[in-house]
């Protein structure tokens, strides 16, 4: 499986409370990219988009913002191995 972004969603992989706290900063960073680019991107939690996902689902997105809830989580290693930024 290779990273081939085709969708606008930047995936979020983090606990809900952290997502809620970070969302304003993420949206501000997106707006700083400029109106043309910001209008084509959106942040979406992985589990809202994919209750169950295949690696090919993840590889279709431009990036993943990962905030681990513990020191070692398997999804970090899986996503890192897919070379998803």
């Amino acid at each position: 499986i290779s990273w081939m972004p085709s969708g606008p969603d930047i995936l979020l992989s983090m606990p809900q409370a952290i997502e809620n706290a970070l969302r304003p900063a993420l949206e501000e960073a997106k707006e700083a990219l400029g109106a043309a680019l910001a209008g084509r991107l959106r942040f979406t939690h992985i589990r809202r988009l994919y209750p169950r996902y295949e690696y090919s689902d993840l590889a279709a997105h431009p990036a993943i913002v990962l905030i681990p809830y513990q020191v070692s989580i398997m999804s970090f290693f899986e996503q890192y191995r897919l070379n998803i930024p």
Side-chain angles (χ1 to χ4, degrees):
I1 296 172
S2 298
W3 178 59
M4 299 283 290
S6 60
D9 294 291
I10 296 173
L11 299 176
L12 301 176
S13 179
M14 60 190 69
Q16 185 66 48
I18 293 174
E19 178 188 349
N20 292 341
L22 286 180
R23 184 158 292 279
L26 292 170
E27 293 297 332
E28 184 177 311
K30 185 176 81 168
E31 293 303 321
L33 295 172
L37 186 55
R40 294 185 313 209
L41 296 174
R42 63 180 174 244
F43 292 102
T44 306
H45 198 280
I46 289 175
R47 294 297 178 190
R48 265 190 233 113
L49 205 55
Y50 305 111
R52 295 181 55 91
Y53 59 81
E54 300 289 329
Y55 295 130
S56 58
D57 296 328
L58 301 183
H61 294 275
I64 297 176
V65 178
L66 173 69
I67 307 272
Y69 52 88
Q70 63 185 25
V71 176
S72 177
I73 58 172
M74 197 63 204
S75 60
F76 168 76
F77 299 105
E78 294 166 349
Q79 294 161 10
Y80 179 80
R81 181 66 178 97
L82 290 170
N83 295 319
I84 300 172

